[in-house]
Amino acid sequence: MPRTKEQYEEMRNATRQKIQSAGMRLFVQKGFGSTNVQDIADAAGISIGLLYRHYKTKDSLFNELVEFALNGLTQIIQTFEDADSPKKLMTQFVDEIYHDMQEGEELANLLILMNQLFFSGDGANRKQAEVLEVNGRLLRSTAALIKKGQESGDFRSGDAHEMAVLFYSALQGLADMKVIMKNNFVMPSPSVLTLFLFKEGE
């Protein structure tokens, strides 16, 4: 029987997901500059011709992955800006990060991919300004959330912006360690990740 339009769309989406997963792994492991389209096609288990039907260049694939990460950050920013309970929201956020880092590699890879944007070729550099702008908004919204938690008495005192920087720096470092250490990596518990933030006994 001939395939339906929906079946073709499912096959197309499955192929794109294979390419995206393969591209992300290789960009993280080898770097953007050392990865070529043949590497990606081989890792995805498809022909290079099929890859080109989905992505004309490795730059377009890289930029789509960065866009995916940016959309996720934008959603986090919106959630932080609309927060009623800073401690509850931060607890949920850290729990999600913990489970994502424990159960898979996607979050760690995305964090490293965002960093690689600043060490890649000209094709990727076009996204740098957008990434800087979104990261700036994320820091500001997180600092505002921390300040709100300090005012409610749930968070420790201190410079809210510095605390936000420390938090994301820790996550970035943990992502690097996860990729480097592989199966030997142990993700710190949510209580450790929030030790500097939540007041003792809370």
Side-chain angles (χ1 to χ4, degrees):
M1 289 181 61
R3 292 190 176 97
T4 65
K5 183 179 178 181
E6 289 76 16
Q7 286 173 322
Y8 275 116
E9 189 61 28
E10 284 178 12
M11 290 172 61
R12 176 178 168 78
N13 289 337
T15 300
R16 286 182 75 87
Q17 287 175 4
K18 276 198 228 175
I19 295 169
Q20 290 165 2
S21 295
M24 184 178 294
R25 284 196 310 274
L26 288 170
F27 290 146
V28 167
Q29 292 167 4
K30 298 178 62 175
F32 178 83
S34 299
T35 300
N36 60 47
V37 288
Q38 186 65 63
D39 294 332
I40 299 169
D42 291 344
I46 63 173
S47 69
I48 196 167
L50 181 55
L51 186 148
Y52 278 128
R53 286 170 60 183
H54 291 270
Y55 297 98
K56 298 300 182 188
T57 64
K58 70 172 182 178
D59 298 74
S60 62
L61 171 58
F62 186 89
N63 285 336
E64 184 170 299
L65 292 172
V66 171
E67 192 63 38
F68 174 75
L70 286 172
N71 288 338
L73 292 180
T74 301
Q75 290 176 6
I76 293 169
I77 292 166
Q78 187 64 52
T79 303
F80 280 7
E81 289 176 345
D82 295 339
D84 291 326
S85 173
K87 185 176 180 183
K88 180 180 178 182
L89 180 58
M90 185 58 76
T91 299
Q92 292 173 343
F93 182 53
V94 171
D95 282 346
E96 288 173 9
I97 290 170
Y98 175 78
H99 289 297
D100 286 348
M101 292 283 275
Q102 279 279 86
E103 296 170 9
E105 299 178 350
E106 184 175 346
L107 176 59
N109 286 344
L110 279 174
L111 289 171
I112 293 171
L113 190 80
M114 296 283 276
N115 265 8
Q116 287 195 358
L117 183 69
F118 295 91
F119 303 99
S120 303
D122 292 338
N125 286 342
R126 290 193 294 270
K127 286 273 184 192
Q128 285 185 2
E130 186 179 357
V131 170
L132 285 172
E133 190 270 333
V134 172
N135 277 338
R137 286 176 54 207
L138 179 63
L139 273 176
R140 290 192 296 273
S141 66
T142 306
L145 184 76
I146 292 172
K147 191 169 181 59
K148 195 172 179 181
Q150 290 171 333
E151 291 169 352
S152 68
D154 291 322
F155 290 5
R156 294 178 183 273
S157 60
D159 185 294
H161 180 78
E162 290 180 358
M163 294 168 84
V165 170
L166 174 64
F167 177 69
Y168 291 115
S169 296
L171 294 184
Q172 187 66 54
L174 288 168
D176 290 340
M177 290 181 69
K178 180 176 174 65
V179 171
I180 293 167
M181 297 177 68
K182 301 187 186 309
N183 293 334
N184 292 321
F185 174 76
V186 177
M187 181 66 184
S189 67
S191 61
V192 170
L193 291 173
T194 55
L195 192 61
F196 80 103
L197 189 60
F198 297 160
K199 285 188 174 178
E200 289 183 20
E202 294 292 325

